[in-house]
Amino acid sequence: MTNDERWMREALEEARYALREDEVPVGAIVVKDEEIVARAHNLSRQQNDPTLHAEVLALKEAQQKLGFLTGCTLYVTMEPCAMCAGAMVLLKLPRLVFGTFDPSCGCTGSRLDLTDHWFYHSVETWGGVLEADCAALLTEFFQRKR
């Protein structure tokens, strides 16, 4: 198991919490120096606030604890949207690792790539880590809704 897979498994745990809470099962963690400094899962449905994505919540927590996110990696189970990609750029996040691709709204490679040379900061991005496991949770959630 690679280090990225190890940390993605932690993000998957957060996504499972979201699933149990009837949220879209997306989980995120921020890692620095081999330690988790922040973790979160989607709360948009529960709080009736579409901005409460796992990525934004984890990044805010990490930024409050650390200030600058130098040396941090965000692990998230689904490819980030435009809002989350923008937050990563503004916070100057060095590295992003995500699980499943989002062909309809993904903005770190699928639909657009807002993290790669569009703005003053680029985020090193890796996608597809434990993709099948991450996608399975989303499939389960949306099958329940149908």
Side-chain angles (χ1 to χ4, degrees):
M1 175 174 22
T2 68
N3 234 12
D4 285 344
E5 290 171 336
R6 171 187 168 205
W7 296 121
M8 188 59 72
R9 290 192 191 289
E10 292 288 334
L12 275 163
E13 282 303 309
E14 284 296 319
R16 287 185 189 98
Y17 290 133
L19 184 63
R20 286 192 288 273
E21 295 174 5
D22 198 33
E23 290 282 349
V24 177
V26 176
I29 64 167
V30 177
V31 174
K32 181 175 182 168
D33 299 329
E34 297 298 309
E35 288 191 31
I36 296 172
V37 295
R39 57 188 322 136
H41 57 274
N42 276 2
L43 293 175
S44 298
R45 293 168 53 89
Q46 199 174 74
Q47 301 290 326
N48 196 28
D49 182 343
T51 67
L52 297 180
H53 289 192
E55 303 95 304
V56 168
L57 295 169
L59 288 167
K60 284 174 89 171
E61 181 182 335
Q63 192 272 328
Q64 288 171 351
K65 287 180 180 177
L66 303 173
F68 295 105
L69 299 183
T70 306
C72 290
T73 299
L74 172 67
Y75 291 87
V76 61
T77 57
M78 187 167 96
E79 180 181 5
C81 68
M83 174 185 69
C84 297
M88 287 181 261
V89 169
L90 292 172
L91 288 166
K92 297 181 182 171
L93 181 75
R95 186 166 183 260
L96 162 70
V97 177
F98 67 87
T100 192
F101 290 83
D102 182 359
S104 61
C105 295
C107 287
T108 61
S110 289
R111 295 293 282 174
L112 295 171
D113 191 349
L114 299 177
T115 60
D116 187 24
H117 306 293
W118 281 95
F119 303 104
Y120 61 91
H121 176 75
S122 294
V123 180
E124 178 187 335
T125 302
W126 297 94
V129 176
L130 300 181
E131 182 174 8
D133 295 338
C134 296
L137 284 178
L138 290 160
T139 299
E140 180 181 343
F141 175 79
F142 288 111
Q143 282 179 342
R144 287 181 187 178
K145 296 295 170 195
R146 290 184 185 135

